[in-house]
Amino acid sequence: MRRYFQKGSPRIFDQLEQNVPYPKGHSTQRTGFRSGSKSPAWQRKEGKSKSGGLNRKGIASYRAANPGSKLSMAVTTKPSKLKKGSKAANRRKSFCARMSGMKKRLTSAKTARDPNSRINKSLRKWNC
């Protein structure tokens, strides 16, 4: 039997005997999830934009799944049209720096070259 957490607590041993991988109420346990129900739109095709990133439905479902989230739409305005130092310009600059680093270090060479990969689509959308 696989043990996912430390020994010691009788409550944990009860959980192990029931073959439950995590104690009840553990943070990785999905709350309010019915088997057969769909995952949130931001994780599925209908919540993703064809041009990269999330669409309005995806952003709305992400906010519903993560209360307190400040996720907002992509800054798609051309850099030349943005006022230097504005909130939108700073968001764009920060996003481009972060995602360019991810593309460089956290993707395979094949994904980095593929123009239709999600990361390349999002970088194009943000004008990076």
Side-chain angles (χ1 to χ4, degrees):
M1 179 186 300
R2 294 170 74 183
R3 294 181 190 259
Y4 291 94
F5 35 84
Q6 291 181 338
K7 300 177 185 177
S9 159
R11 190 173 132 225
I12 291 175
F13 285 124
D14 292 342
Q15 295 280 329
L16 282 172
E17 288 171 9
Q18 293 170 7
N19 220 7
V20 176
Y22 297 100
K24 192 169 185 159
H26 194 269
S27 63
T28 58
Q29 196 173 25
R30 292 173 83 174
T31 55
F33 182 76
R34 296 184 307 259
S35 64
S37 67
K38 291 183 178 178
S39 57
W42 64 274
Q43 294 177 349
R44 289 178 290 154
K45 188 175 181 179
E46 64 205 42
K48 296 178 183 178
S49 171
K50 286 188 174 94
S51 61
L54 297 176
N55 57 24
R56 289 191 191 281
K57 185 175 183 177
I59 289 175
S61 74
Y62 182 84
R63 285 190 193 137
N66 300 285
S69 169
K70 294 181 181 178
L71 185 69
S72 53
M73 295 294 284
V75 178
T76 55
T77 313
K78 290 186 179 178
S80 60
K81 303 284 184 197
L82 288 171
K83 186 177 177 183
K84 195 170 185 175
S86 67
K87 190 175 181 180
N90 288 339
R91 274 189 72 224
R92 187 193 149 275
K93 187 177 176 182
S94 174
F95 177 85
C96 290
R98 187 172 63 248
M99 291 304 280
S100 297
M102 285 186 189
K103 179 183 172 181
K104 203 178 291 181
R105 292 177 188 84
L106 299 178
T107 59
S108 65
K110 183 181 175 186
T111 304
R113 284 191 308 265
D114 180 15
N116 292 322
S117 67
R118 298 298 302 175
I119 194 162
N120 284 334
K121 283 182 176 183
S122 65
L123 286 168
R124 266 197 313 273
K125 187 174 188 173
W126 283 74
N127 298 305
C128 294

